Amino acid sequence: MDCELDPKYILDKAARLDILARTASGALVNVEVQIANKYNIDKRTIFYWAGLYYGQLTSGQNFIHLRKTITINILGFNWFGGRGKYHHTFHIREDETGELLNDDMEIHFLELGKLDGLKRKPKDALEEWMLYFNNIQGEIMEEIAMGNPGIRKALTIEQIFFKNQQERRLYELREKAARDEISMVSGARAEGKAEMAQDAICKYLGARFASASNSLQVEVKQIDNIVILDRIINKIYTANSIEEATSIVQKAKE
């Protein structure tokens, strides 16, 4: 979503968020990255959270339209005491009983420094991503990437942008083509035209995997069910290999 917060929604002070997204259920998610400790992350977090929550309503709208608002802070410094706990989550609760007031406020702090130099394998996807943000190199990150498609894709994009300007420009053009195809597919869904969806999927496969995708493109061309094609479209852009793309097509047909 647009990361600019209108000043009228945040006590007449303009702000720009790092990443602002909306989940399928309608919840707002703000991801903030803070490298240096400016000694205000607690107040800054509440300030931004309040602006997002308040800004959901226009004049006259009912409070029932307010959706859960989540802030995730990725910190390059340690804000909380202790050495073991690196993930802190906050809600609004009653002091004595711990009863939750409601679930609309959720704030996370991830302290990267507390996982720096981890001596064991990461226990879950969260620890894997935190090690990635800590710029872990070598066999450990290679092993993580093998089992985590999201991190594998992130590393691939990194490598592309580290290469020369011409290759980087080619990558940007391919990404633009993929986005254009997504827009075109929206029209295909609305009109129920399988041919448009088939073309969009095949063009992406050709740009992403070249001739290695030829046989898969033939298979896609034989699918005339718009519901199945829609399932493929929703997943195909996450494929990092022709094998993953083939698996997405097969599962969509089941």
Side-chain angles (χ1 to χ4, degrees):
M1 298 173 62
D2 185 1
C3 292
E4 295 288 348
L5 289 185
D6 191 316
K8 71 180 180 180
Y9 290 146
I10 196 161
L11 307 180
D12 295 325
K13 181 174 181 178
R16 180 174 179 83
L17 306 178
D18 287 349
I19 296 175
L20 178 61
R22 189 187 300 277
T23 69
S25 63
L28 291 176
V29 182
N30 172 35
V31 181
E32 289 288 311
V33 179
Q34 288 290 312
I35 302 302
N37 188 357
K38 298 181 180 180
Y39 303 98
N40 63 2
I41 191 63
D42 51 349
K43 295 183 183 295
R44 174 188 175 94
T45 295
I46 297 172
F47 187 72
Y48 280 0
W49 180 92
L52 284 174
Y53 192 68
Y54 168 68
Q56 295 180 63
L57 296 185
T58 57
S59 179
Q61 275 192 304
N62 193 292
F63 291 120
I64 196 172
H65 295 292
L66 288 170
R67 293 290 179 262
K68 182 173 183 174
T69 302
I70 303 166
T71 296
I72 302 172
N73 295 291
I74 301 175
L75 307 181
F77 55 91
N78 293 337
W79 181 260
F80 298 94
R83 301 180 62 181
K85 187 174 177 62
Y86 56 82
H87 181 196
H88 300 263
T89 307
F90 293 87
H91 295 84
I92 302 178
R93 298 182 181 275
E94 206 282 328
D95 285 350
E96 293 184 7
T97 66
E99 182 180 359
L100 191 67
L101 178 63
N102 68 29
D103 196 36
D104 281 7
M105 172 185 266
E106 183 173 314
I107 296 175
H108 298 261
F109 292 89
L110 301 172
E111 298 171 298
L112 297 179
K114 290 181 179 177
L115 254 70
D116 191 18
L118 186 68
K119 301 302 182 182
R120 57 171 172 77
K121 289 185 177 181
K123 65 181 181 182
D124 53 26
L126 176 60
E127 287 194 355
E128 291 176 346
W129 277 105
M130 290 182 71
L131 289 177
Y132 168 77
F133 288 132
N134 266 325
N135 200 29
I136 300 298
Q137 303 291 328
E139 294 182 2
I140 296 177
M141 185 50 61
E142 290 178 6
E143 184 176 346
I144 290 174
M146 288 295 293
N148 189 316
I151 291 179
R152 186 162 67 248
K153 183 174 183 179
L155 289 171
T156 300
I157 293 173
E158 272 190 26
Q159 292 169 3
I160 291 170
F161 278 89
F162 281 136
K163 292 182 179 179
N164 63 51
Q165 186 174 0
Q166 182 177 358
E167 290 176 322
R168 188 160 59 245
R169 179 59 178 160
L170 177 60
Y171 170 80
E172 290 168 351
L173 289 173
R174 286 177 175 171
E175 287 293 294
K176 180 180 183 300
R179 289 193 297 271
D180 291 344
E181 295 301 331
I182 292 174
S183 298
M184 189 268 286
V185 164
S186 298
R189 291 172 179 163
E191 298 179 20
K193 292 183 178 179
E195 294 84 359
M196 294 175 67
Q198 291 169 352
D199 288 342
I201 296 168
C202 289
K203 284 181 180 179
Y204 177 76
L205 289 172
R208 182 71 174 82
F209 304 112
S211 60
S213 69
N214 288 348
S215 60
L216 185 57
Q217 291 185 47
V218 171
E219 184 175 348
V220 169
K221 287 289 188 181
Q222 295 173 348
I223 302 172
D224 57 8
N225 187 319
I226 193 68
V227 175
I228 295 175
L229 291 168
D230 189 54
R231 291 179 195 152
I232 297 172
I233 289 165
N234 286 334
K235 293 285 188 179
I236 199 67
Y237 297 101
T238 66
N240 292 297
S241 67
I242 190 61
E243 289 78 17
E244 289 183 10
T246 301
S247 176
I248 289 170
V249 172
Q250 297 302 324
K251 288 181 179 179
K253 292 166 65 178
E254 293 177 354

